[in-house]
Amino acid sequence: MISKEGIRCLYRSKRPSGGYSDEFLQSICEKCQKFHRIEIKDGFLVIGALDTNNPFRRIKFSCIQSIEDLGDEVAVVLNPCIIFFNNITGKININLRNEQRRATIIRRWLRKMLRFGF
């Protein structure tokens, strides 16, 4: 399991300026082949283990911020979420970004400060 700080760091990660090499993408596909059947087709990352109606089955490659190899897991970072592919248990975990909660807390704090004249 990855820590909250690690997840924040993943959200900040960016794709390499020249894009990912074919060797890196092939190694990721091979690593996730056993459980998840990941492949790259026509500009999409296709997760063959998911149902055809699942919205995470086909991910447009241009929407992917970064792909990180974390040892036993592979993380595919999108703007609203991170998809973790566990290559030992075969599980897929999705971490949804929760930035709105932080903004709401800051907004409430600012209102309080303005109300008290600070």
Side-chain angles (χ1 to χ4, degrees):
M1 190 69 182
I2 192 165
S3 68
K4 287 183 181 181
E5 185 59 36
I7 289 174
R8 270 190 239 128
C9 193
L10 283 173
Y11 277 120
R12 285 186 233 128
S13 65
K14 299 291 179 200
R15 184 183 329 185
S17 59
Y20 289 107
S21 67
D22 290 336
E23 294 84 22
F24 176 75
L25 294 175
Q26 285 300 343
S27 70
I28 294 296
C29 288
E30 288 171 11
K31 189 171 189 175
C32 296
Q33 190 63 34
K34 181 179 177 185
F35 293 111
H36 311 295
R37 298 191 311 270
I38 291 180
E39 53 189 4
I40 296 173
K41 286 185 183 175
D42 303 325
F44 286 89
L45 179 79
V46 181
I47 306 165
L50 298 178
D51 293 335
T52 56
N53 296 330
N54 193 316
F56 292 104
R57 181 178 167 86
R58 287 174 43 105
I59 302 168
K60 196 171 187 179
F61 202 75
S62 62
C63 295
I64 296 174
Q65 282 185 318
S66 72
I67 301 173
E68 301 293 329
D69 188 355
L70 305 173
D72 296 335
E73 291 186 341
V74 172
V76 176
V77 183
L78 307 170
N79 191 25
C81 66
I82 301 175
I83 305 171
F84 292 100
F85 299 99
N86 189 320
N87 295 315
I88 294 177
T89 63
K91 290 185 178 182
I92 298 175
N93 295 317
I94 299 174
N95 176 276
L96 297 175
R97 193 174 211 168
N98 192 4
E99 294 289 323
Q100 213 152 17
R101 182 170 180 240
R102 180 196 278 171
T104 304
I105 291 170
I106 292 171
R107 213 176 294 125
R108 285 181 191 162
W109 180 80
L110 283 172
R111 280 191 211 138
K112 245 184 220 182
M113 291 300 126
L114 291 173
R115 200 174 319 146
F116 291 119
F118 288 99

